[in-house]
Amino acid sequence: MIVDCAIYRHGHRTEGPEDLSDALDEARAAGGFVWIGLYEPSEHEFDLVTREFDLHPLAVEDALKAHQRPKLEVYDDSLFMVLKPVVYEAESDAVSSGEIMVFSGDCFVVTVRHGEGSPLAAVRHRLEEEPEMLDKGPTAVLYAISDAVVDHYLDVATELQADLEELETEVFQPERGGSRYTASRIYTFKRQVLEFRRATGPLAVPLSRLAGTGALGAGVPFVHDKARPFFRDVGDHLLRVNDSVEALDRLVSDILSAHLAQMSVRQNDDMRKISAWAAMAAVPTMIAGIYGMNFDHMPELHWLWAYPAVILLMAVFEVLLYRTFKQRGWL
């Protein structure tokens, strides 16, 4: 559905007409641009926008089906950029991602949003409070959306860092070393970091092109020359995010390895304790077994003090074995 539609002249908003073709003609005549925002449009709803703005069918297909990697495509009459905003859900400590598709032309911007995360109303309101920036045209909208998405990446990275510190505390507890559910939590956290990386990693190349620093950056049309330093700034912020994601991934892998090593050491300790107790039980079992064979002709069988002597002998062996295993740390 169409969430918002407005024409911007010299950085100021005027409500657009209901007919999209009239809005485009009016924007061109006034030297401004039209910005149309859509949320999860159906094929029928998007068909009118496609015809009026002459959008490329491949980009339209990507915008309707979603589930795209962050990318930048250049067509004859427009740019098509895909961004994946990420949302951190504090209640479940989970990361979820949505998608924002931006069609940018000489005098129009069409934004298509999928998912609940990162609504664009705040971006639009912030731009409307800065007429000088909004006067730069569709490039300003593309920059503002990119900047908002990347800035939120930094917030999510901070939240994930806090979760990772909690995992570290749980794994390296001196008394327990993590519960039996710790490995599952670590693996779940690693999947969240992977979801985060899928959103941030591929975005570096599109921002580099928009900033004019990539191999294909000089040939990107519909981008105001004075806006390229701003895209470089967004790219620098994204670089910080990607460094944080790499660090999170390495640390969570190290934590998982440490946890598995601790579990292995604990299992070895348990096996040593079991072996020690089994060895201590073997001595009286052997002696009792020998004297329990019920043969009449056995050495010392009819001694008066034979029974207490055997009990004392077993106790001595048990004490010696216990002290030996205790000194070696098996018990």
Side-chain angles (χ1 to χ4, degrees):
M1 61 178 177
I2 297 179
V3 178
D4 200 352
C5 176
I7 295 175
Y8 295 91
R9 300 187 184 94
H10 306 295
H12 297 281
R13 174 185 177 124
T14 59
E15 295 302 324
E18 297 182 0
D19 193 315
L20 296 182
S21 60
D22 294 341
L24 185 59
D25 293 339
E26 186 176 340
R28 282 175 174 163
F33 70 97
V34 58
W35 180 2
I36 299 175
L38 301 100
Y39 175 71
E40 295 185 355
S42 64
E43 185 174 354
H44 175 71
E45 291 173 335
F46 203 58
D47 185 58
L48 177 60
V49 178
T50 302
R51 292 196 309 269
E52 294 299 336
F53 294 96
D54 194 23
L55 304 180
H56 197 279
L58 292 178
V60 171
E61 181 181 0
D62 290 343
L64 289 174
K65 292 184 177 180
H67 305 294
Q68 303 295 317
R69 285 167 51 98
K71 62 180 181 178
L72 177 66
E73 299 287 351
V74 179
Y75 298 104
D76 293 337
D77 299 323
S78 63
L79 294 178
F80 175 65
M81 188 172 184
V82 179
L83 302 101
K84 292 181 72 69
V86 173
V87 177
Y88 178 83
E89 300 173 3
E91 296 80 8
S92 58
D93 293 337
V95 170
S96 61
S97 61
E99 290 186 48
I100 296 176
M101 285 80 168
V102 183
F103 296 87
S104 177
D106 58 344
C107 57
F108 70 88
V109 177
V110 177
T111 55
V112 182
R113 185 167 61 90
H114 292 269
E116 297 297 330
S118 188
L120 297 178
V123 176
R124 189 187 287 263
H125 293 159
R126 180 167 65 87
L127 276 175
E128 290 174 354
E129 294 175 356
E130 301 179 15
E132 293 183 0
M133 177 179 291
L134 198 55
D135 191 37
K136 299 298 187 293
T139 303
V141 178
L142 186 60
Y143 158 72
I145 294 174
S146 303
D147 185 55
V149 170
V150 173
D151 282 348
H152 194 62
Y153 286 164
L154 293 170
D155 298 335
V156 174
T158 302
E159 296 288 348
L160 289 177
Q161 182 64 42
D163 288 348
L164 184 63
E165 291 174 359
E166 292 180 5
L167 276 177
E168 285 181 317
T169 303
E170 180 177 344
V171 168
F172 294 106
Q173 284 180 348
E175 61 276 2
R176 289 193 306 161
S179 66
R180 59 178 179 173
Y181 301 108
T182 302
S184 176
R185 287 191 59 198
I186 295 174
Y187 183 72
T188 301
F189 184 85
K190 192 171 181 63
R191 288 184 61 88
Q192 294 173 6
V193 173
L194 179 60
E195 179 72 18
F196 195 19
R197 173 182 281 180
R198 288 173 179 167
T200 63
L203 187 57
V205 174
L207 286 178
S208 178
R209 295 179 63 188
L210 290 171
T213 57
L216 302 175
V220 177
F222 309 111
V223 177
H224 200 284
D225 290 336
K226 293 184 178 180
R228 297 190 186 277
F230 293 93
F231 284 109
R232 284 199 294 271
D233 181 68
V234 178
D236 290 340
H237 292 174
L238 182 65
L239 183 60
R240 289 173 50 196
V241 172
N242 285 331
D243 289 343
S244 298
V245 174
E246 290 291 337
L248 287 171
D249 188 59
R250 289 195 301 268
L251 284 174
V252 74
S253 297
D254 293 341
I255 290 174
L256 180 59
S257 299
H259 175 66
L260 294 177
Q262 284 185 334
M263 294 295 292
S264 178
V265 170
R266 287 165 58 186
Q267 289 177 351
N268 289 337
D269 289 342
D270 293 340
M271 290 302 298
R272 285 191 298 179
K273 291 179 181 179
I274 293 172
S275 300
W277 287 112
M280 293 174 62
V283 173
T285 302
M286 178 188 68
I287 297 175
I290 293 174
Y291 280 85
M293 292 188 293
N294 295 324
F295 292 111
D296 187 53
H297 300 289
M298 290 185 63
E300 302 95 16
L301 187 61
H302 297 290
W303 286 7
L304 179 62
W305 299 102
Y307 180 76
V310 170
I311 297 298
L312 179 61
L313 180 64
M314 289 191 291
V316 170
F317 272 113
E318 291 298 299
V319 171
L320 291 175
L321 287 173
Y322 180 82
R323 293 187 61 183
T324 301
F325 292 139
K326 192 70 174 177
Q327 289 175 355
R328 296 184 178 181
W330 285 34
L331 291 175

